Amino acid sequence: MARRLDVTGADGIRLAAWDFTVEGAVREGTAPEGRTPARPPAVSIARQPAAPEDRTRPAGAPAPPPGRARSAAPVLLLHGLMGHAGHWAPAARLLAGGHRTLALDQRGHGASEKPPGGPFTREAYVADAAAVIERLGLAPVTLVGHSMGALTAWQLAAERPDLVRALVICDMRASALGAASQRAWQDWFRGWPAPFPTLEAVHRWFGADDPWVETPNPARGAFFAEVMTERPDGWHPVFDPAQMLTSRETWVHDAHWDFLAQVRCPTLVVRGLDGELGRAEAQEMVRVLPHGAYAEIPDAGHLLHYTHPEAWAEAVDPFLTGVLTT
């Protein structure tokens, strides 16, 4: 179980954070707004999705050592575009024995507020993360970000080094993706057969029928099932696809190497072997970082922390232990 923490973002926006720390693992608050825990799909998947407070430690994973988490250094996890804090749950609990581990539903996502007028700029996402760190008393924090959340993390580390002790970047590119990429995403959203008639249809579309899926990927279907909610006419995403496109528009046209070079804290760049961040670019990111390190996870794709939580934790925990005990 995870404990919900309601916190105010930079411009008064209401945000939800989730504390996975062992001693803090008591039910508080409600499940993420507008989201119904996903039911088991018709096909076999690596893990059954559920709300953050209901997710359990992966089968066979070691239990976190008791008595360490309350005094441990804090770690804040930032999900990617269209994600939510619960996507971190199995990986987070593997860290929570030795670190106070929290995850944030960023604006427009999960249980956090989704203001119709935004803003959904890079500045807004970074300012929210800074506000959460300050208001929850986490500084200096270790930031762990996936995809868009990783970009938010390293921009904050560059701009506010006083708030960030260490950084983990998970499968996010520093190079510009360009206008063609944004147009492809617009077409992709338009092609969704939403509302989905059943949750099983969500699993099937995102795991197999989506034209972007090259081979059946049940874990991808499970990932998206976690961010769907049931309405009278069927299953809809908890996020607004237009807001997701607006969020993405603010970073895809630009490269982000300058921010990366300004990060002064120890930083680990982690990629899935079959992810979106190529090895050459990842290693160049490590070279640009003043204190960079590199890790990759075999057999993992873009959703590396979600599909391979044990391997992800094995790559990340030694880095965290090293930088947080020196």
Side-chain angles (χ1 to χ4, degrees), residues 58-322:
R68 293 174 55 200
R70 182 172 288 122
S71 61
V75 175
L76 180 63
L77 307 165
L78 301 177
H79 61 74
L81 190 72
M82 302 181 293
H84 76 129
H87 284 143
W88 288 104
R93 291 197 177 92
L94 292 172
L95 300 182
H99 314 281
R100 185 188 178 198
T101 306
L102 304 95
L104 174 67
D105 281 334
Q106 298 176 82
R107 63 172 60 206
H109 297 76
S112 289
E113 192 175 358
K114 304 163 183 67
F120 294 99
T121 61
R122 285 282 80 228
E123 293 79 8
Y125 281 109
V126 172
D128 281 344
V132 168
I133 293 167
E134 291 178 324
R135 288 167 184 165
L136 294 182
L138 303 178
V141 71
T142 294
L143 283 179
V144 179
H146 172 247
S147 195
M148 179 192 76
L151 178 57
T152 298
W154 89 60
Q155 288 183 326
L156 178 58
E159 295 176 1
R160 293 290 308 274
D162 58 307
L163 297 182
V164 184
R165 183 173 184 176
L167 177 65
V168 178
I169 296 169
C170 299
D171 216 66
M172 179 61 184
R173 300 179 62 182
S175 57
L177 301 180
S181 172
Q182 188 70 354
R183 288 193 297 271
W185 274 67
Q186 291 169 346
D187 292 342
W188 179 58
F189 276 124
R190 282 195 289 265
W192 286 19
F196 297 89
T198 64
L199 197 58
E200 288 73 22
V202 174
H203 283 275
R204 186 167 58 251
W205 167 259
F206 290 103
D209 296 343
D210 183 350
W212 282 15
V213 176
E214 296 180 358
T215 59
N217 188 347
R220 186 174 185 267
F223 181 93
F224 280 97
E226 288 199 32
V227 288
M228 294 287 162
T229 185
E230 189 174 21
R231 300 178 189 168
D233 62 341
W235 291 82
H236 296 256
V238 298
F239 52 79
D240 181 346
Q243 292 181 352
M244 299 299 99
L245 285 171
T246 298
S247 298
R248 195 173 186 274
E249 182 77 28
T250 64
W251 89 72
V252 297
H253 302 290
D254 302 314
H256 307 285
W257 296 98
D258 289 347
F259 281 112
L260 205 64
Q262 295 171 38
V263 174
R264 297 297 167 186
C265 63
T267 302
L268 178 67
V269 177
V270 186
R271 62 178 290 268
L273 201 60
D274 298 316
E276 296 181 7
L277 175 61
R279 179 178 290 155
E281 182 171 355
Q283 292 177 343
E284 179 63 12
M285 290 168 66
V286 172
R287 190 194 67 80
V288 168
L289 285 158
H291 304 285
Y294 174 80
E296 63 182 35
I297 299 176
D299 303 320
H302 183 58
L303 306 176
L304 63 174
H305 63 292
Y306 183 80
T307 59
H308 294 70
E310 294 93 343
W312 180 88
E314 288 174 3
V316 171
D317 193 52
F319 169 80
L320 296 182
T321 301

